[in-house]
Amino acid sequence: QVQLVESGGGSVQAGGSLRLSCAASGYTDSTYWMAWFRQAPGKEREGVAAIYIYIAGGRTYYAASVKDRFTISQDNAKNTVYLQMNSLKPEDTAMYYCAAGRLFYGLGTARGFNYWGQGTQVTVSS
């Protein structure tokens, strides 16, 4: 059974940084996609970043709204994916979810991601 456990959320002021972690267990595929999505109250879920999990480090994709501020990375030894968030803005405030799946159809859809974590809250104040 695949389990994803997020951590690292919290409250910061605008311009600050946070690093989210997603520890994965039970995944038997050697290659797969992991991604971070977020959802703010009253808004649709938004894909933030995705990474192709591979031995040598995989491709990454970012939403335009976070490109050059957020970095997604992997630690294969720890089966963990990170989302380093710098220069945070109040509009980054949302519940952030980690997801895993075999197929990736772009950050505009959650299709292909079969497994989800419970979410971690990020709040950025101005």
Side-chain angles (χ1 to χ4, degrees):
Q1 183 178 358
V2 177
Q3 287 190 324
L4 304 176
V5 179
E6 302 104 328
S7 61
S11 297
V12 296
Q13 289 191 327
S17 298
L18 283 173
R19 189 177 78 158
L20 305 183
S21 300
C22 176
S25 61
Y27 216 103
T28 57
D29 290 350
S30 59
T31 59
Y32 52 98
W33 288 90
M34 290 192 71
W36 289 94
F37 288 79
R38 67 185 182 186
Q39 188 165 22
K43 294 188 177 181
E44 292 187 355
R45 182 172 52 192
E46 174 189 20
V48 175
I51 185 168
Y52 183 55
I53 300 298
Y54 187 64
I55 296 174
R59 291 165 285 171
T60 58
Y61 294 87
Y62 296 94
S65 58
V66 306
K67 191 171 175 61
D68 298 327
R69 297 190 298 122
F70 290 10
T71 302
I72 189 169
S73 61
Q74 63 182 98
D75 184 333
N76 287 344
K78 297 181 179 180
N79 291 326
T80 299
V81 168
Y82 303 99
L83 185 67
Q84 178 67 44
M85 306 185 295
N86 298 329
S87 301
L88 282 161
K89 304 175 181 180
E91 51 263 43
D92 294 317
T93 295
M95 184 72 79
Y96 283 71
Y97 298 91
C98 176
R102 296 184 62 190
L103 300 174
F104 178 60
Y105 296 95
L107 288 170
T109 177
R111 187 163 66 104
F113 290 99
N114 308 106
Y115 304 101
W116 293 81
Q118 80 287 353
T120 185
Q121 178 68 38
V122 171
T123 302
V124 184
S125 58
S126 57

